[in-house]
Amino acid sequence: MVPADPAAPRATFRELGPPDLCHVVKSNPKATPRESQVQGKPNPWKITGGTFCCFNAFSRVDVRVEVKIPGGVESYVVDLRGDRYPITNAAIWQETFVSAVLRAILDDNDEPDGNDGQPLLGLRKIDPLQTLGAEHRFLEAAALEFWKGWQLGSQPEVQVATPFSNHLTNGIFNYFKNAGRLAEAARFFADLDSRDPDVAAVLAKAYLGTDEEIKAVNVLYEASKKPPVTYSLLLVQADFLMSKKQTEKALKIAKLAVTYAPSEYVVWAKLTEIYIELGDYESALLALNSCPMFTYCERDAQRMPPPARTHLPLRPDAASLRPEQDPKSVPQSNGSLFDENDPRENEVHPELQRLPSLSLRGTFLQAYSLLIRIVAKVGWDDLLKVRSQVFVMEDEYRIHRAIVEESQKSENESGSDDERDGDATGATGSRDDDLDVPAKSAPARGRSQSPNHSDVEAMETINLDDGDMTSAYRTQQPRGNSTSPSRSNKNTIDELMKRASLESHDSPQSKSTPRRGRAPNPRSQGHRVSFSFKHKRLCEKWLDNLFMVLYNDLRLYTALKQEMAQFKNQTNNSNAMMYRKTGAEWEIYGDLAERLLHRADAKEAYRLCLDQKLSTNAWLKLLQINAEEGNIQPCLQAVVKMTTLLDRTFAEHTYPSSIGRGLFTLVRRHGLQKVQNALISMNIPPASYRQITRYFEYAEVFRVAGSEW
């Protein structure tokens, strides 16, 4: 994709690039030009040429095919500087093909347009791989480009892209996983060099998804015996142990993963998750506080200039057509799906618009979800108690500092000049000891570090049955300066957590300034202050802010629950609540309840939203929730509605899509025949039924799990 002027590509594309662009040139032979054709009126405009633009994410060039009418086709590339060159290397086409398909696969999220709430006008989605032959050709090209996949980048939770985690690997794995076809993914990765530890890790992950546990264990075992051992292998082992309820053993593996990759967020997040499963919430908060946080990189998107005029064709509603009517014979309208909504239903209270949780992205959003898992298990009050036991609170710090300064002042006044100097030094040293601040700061986190496989030792065995974490290593001859945490006896997991928590507080300013912006604790006034900080840490500012974000979410959710309970008790009509809030506000409350893991309340809020306005987001959320719960009837109702709506906007893509993902979840659970019979029993209009049958046809052609029964 390129700007409106196709001769000047943007140099800001960092990863896969934006969607493809078709740039069409029209001319009007008449002297007085008119607007485009509307509802069957004569159209004097003629197309004189067009350019198809596709960004090559491997070579960082824009591949363009220019068509001139009445004749002539030319292809060329444009680099990031805007220089134009002919295509002389055939590999450019292969890289462009893989880039385009990956963009289509990874552009699948819970948004109908797949652009994180920023709709692109004129964006049309089609199936990237429509036949098994096209899928086979893509996999062949992806295998040839696999070892360059790290150049494409990875998800925002990963700092350094590896063969285990990059857009190419993730796109292929998720493409097969969401359709229940991980056996195909296992065949793809098995054909690659499984001696590479990252390839072995993703291959074992695919085997585990197909219940081939023996094959997965053998792959992990063989890969663990050879150097180097990577954190990706350890993470897959930890997930496998957790699935077998061997959480204590998974904890040891996760700790070892942290020592191998202390600058990666995913290993710390896995350690936090395991601590939560064990019920050790103090250690979970310490591990969460140690997570390295990365700046979120927005998805590559083209900044299109605002159009002077827009004409968006809109098909007629298939549900409103008579059986004998042909949808193609009905004139098309101009507009969008949401034109019929009452503008008042889009009004939102300012407090709901300013919810800080709506702006969380990347590692901060993932960390917030972990914090929500803790509060869902212990509650807000107990979470505050655990926090006060782990972190130094502001009142504690202020009182302790006042006592230390007063003691230091009295000692200085009673002693001689030399003694006062010595006493002051001793008092300051004891204060630092109490705060548990190291003399030297740990290396800065969040720094891009490429793993040096030659410096990492191979793991031979790990004793998971012993109470202590013991391991035997086959030591290699070190080359150069070794920075591997496993070479130092001091770099234990506790030391890493300690350093990660305190490294940003080593400056004198951070030692003398108490933390601000903490969530209010209704029980803090009568709380007894402890002055022993030996086993406490300073809370990171970003985690401190997440506590405030969580407090605001819980406060609004509690107020909503109380209001709903009052109205249900005062009236027999439960729908009376819908008149107190707009449809947009109910949609926000649904997202809030789902974020806080209250799915029953989320479904009720989404239903109230849809009673008042059309919201594709609410329909997709209901589809996803009901599909995961296995509710056939409400899930199919959402599928019918969303398929009909998106068909009106010429969105005819089947998979990968949020609708296909939810429907195939039902098929894997109940079987294709049962889902088809349930849809027939709903007696929906024939036009709508024909639109949904393309999902069933896709499931049969591509042999989606559950399509054979």
Side-chain angles (χ1 to χ4, degrees), residues 156 159 263-265 288-296 361-368 445-447 540 542-543 546:
Q159 182 181 8
S263 62
E264 286 290 348
Y265 168 85
L288 185 61
N289 190 57
S290 304
C291 288
M293 310 304 287
F294 312 138
T295 303
Y296 178 73
R361 296 289 188 274
T363 53
F364 298 96
L365 180 60
Q366 297 294 327
Y368 186 59
R445 289 182 289 107
R447 187 179 303 165
E540 291 282 354
W542 62 265
L543 182 56
L546 288 186

Side-chain angles (χ1 to χ4, degrees), residues 18-80:
D20 301 340
L21 174 70
C22 290
H23 187 271
V24 179
V25 179
K26 294 183 179 181
S27 64
N28 194 328
K30 295 185 178 181
T32 305
R34 300 178 181 177
E35 295 185 3
S36 300
Q37 177 181 0
V38 179
Q39 296 185 0
K41 295 181 180 180
N43 186 0
W45 294 89
K46 292 184 178 180
I47 298 177
T48 60
T51 304
F52 174 74
C53 312
C54 185
F55 187 73
N56 184 333
F58 292 94
S59 299
R60 318 302 297 172
V61 295
D62 206 39
V63 177
R64 302 181 182 180
V65 178
E66 186 174 350
V67 178
K68 299 177 182 179
I69 298 176
V73 178
E74 183 182 7
S75 60
Y76 55 90
V77 299
V78 178
D79 61 14
L80 297 179

Side-chain angles (χ1 to χ4, degrees), residues 284-316:
L285 285 183
L286 284 174
L288 185 61
N289 190 57
S290 304
C291 288
M293 310 304 287
F294 312 138
T295 303
Y296 178 73
C297 296
E298 295 288 342
R299 178 177 298 182
D300 290 334
Q302 186 55 57
R303 303 298 180 186
M304 303 295 290
R309 296 183 304 273
T310 58
H311 174 68
L312 300 176
L314 195 65
R315 286 175 175 170

Side-chain angles (χ1 to χ4, degrees), residues 442-460:
R445 289 182 289 107
R447 187 179 303 165
S448 298
Q449 299 177 0
S450 179
N452 188 355
H453 294 309
S454 63
D455 291 339
V456 181
E457 301 170 358
M459 179 182 62
E460 185 173 299

Side-chain angles (χ1 to χ4, degrees), residues 441 523 562:
S441 62
R523 301 185 180 183
Q562 293 176 351

Side-chain angles (χ1 to χ4, degrees), residues 230-379:
T230 62
Y231 74 90
S232 57
L233 277 173
L234 300 174
L235 288 181
V236 176
Q237 294 178 37
D239 289 333
F240 174 68
L241 290 173
M242 289 184 65
S243 66
K244 297 300 180 182
K245 308 300 181 182
Q246 301 291 329
T247 316
E248 292 287 350
K249 296 179 180 179
L251 176 62
K252 297 181 180 182
I253 296 293
K255 287 182 178 180
L256 187 60
V258 169
T259 63
Y260 271 90
S263 62
E264 286 290 348
Y265 168 85
V266 290
V267 294
W268 289 98
K270 182 60 63 178
L271 182 63
T272 305
E273 180 183 348
I274 295 175
Y275 275 130
I276 295 175
E277 292 297 323
L278 288 172
D280 188 356
Y281 303 114
E282 294 185 7
S283 299
L285 285 183
L286 284 174
L288 185 61
N289 190 57
S290 304
C291 288
M293 310 304 287
F294 312 138
T295 303
Y296 178 73
C297 296
E298 295 288 342
R299 178 177 298 182
D300 290 334
Q302 186 55 57
R303 303 298 180 186
M304 303 295 290
R309 296 183 304 273
T310 58
H311 174 68
L312 300 176
L314 195 65
R315 286 175 175 170
D317 189 356
S320 62
L321 297 178
R322 295 189 301 271
E324 66 275 7
Q325 277 186 303
D326 185 6
K328 297 181 180 180
S329 63
V330 180
Q332 299 174 359
S333 59
N334 179 23
S336 66
L337 295 173
F338 311 103
D339 292 339
E340 298 178 358
N341 281 339
D342 189 340
R344 293 173 296 181
E345 296 299 331
N346 293 323
E347 297 177 356
V348 180
H349 192 276
E351 187 178 21
L352 296 178
Q353 288 181 330
R354 294 192 298 264
L355 274 178
S357 57
L358 300 178
S359 61
L360 295 177
R361 296 289 188 274
T363 53
F364 298 96
L365 180 60
Q366 297 294 327
Y368 186 59
S369 64
L370 291 173
L371 195 61
I372 289 177
R373 290 181 60 178
I374 298 177
V375 77
K377 289 180 176 292
V378 301

